[in-house]
Amino acid sequence: MEERILTLNDDVIAETIELLRNASKKADALMDSYKPILHGERLMTDGELATALRISPRALRDYRNEGILPYIRVKGNILYKESDIEKVLKAKENKIWMKV
């Protein structure tokens, strides 16, 4: 078996580079035309938010029921806007949440 060093001038390399350039152009076009739903807002489920905040699902439900955490209900599913949660956390920074 003969070993061969490939260079940029070899047809295989040139074709591969051209394919990569075309793929990159297509990816750029997709990114330019991409319109995320809900203005790019990330929605989190109960489980995701409880895990992210490192609290129990019960505590999360209590915060929701007490009006501390805003949420959206869609066909029985509870969802939280990430931006809303960030606002609450920023407002509650250095304050105690728990009832005494």
Side-chain angles (χ1 to χ4, degrees), residues 74-87:
V74 178
K75 292 188 177 184
N77 296 311
I78 304 292
L79 300 171
Y80 305 86
K81 285 185 185 179
E82 187 175 50
S83 62
D84 287 345
I85 302 305
E86 287 174 355
K87 288 176 192 171

Side-chain angles (χ1 to χ4, degrees), residues 26-51:
K26 288 178 183 179
D28 288 342
L30 283 172
M31 290 301 291
D32 289 342
S33 65
Y34 176 67
K35 303 260 190 273
I37 55 175
L38 299 174
H39 306 287
E41 184 74 55
R42 179 170 180 235
L43 299 175
M44 301 175 78
T45 64
D46 272 334
E48 290 170 331
L49 186 56
T51 299

Side-chain angles (χ1 to χ4, degrees), residues 50-68:
T51 299
L53 295 177
R54 295 183 180 179
I55 60 175
S56 69
R58 167 80 187 230
L60 185 63
R61 187 182 70 221
D62 290 345
Y63 291 145
R64 185 178 67 236
N65 291 340
E66 292 169 14
I68 295 171

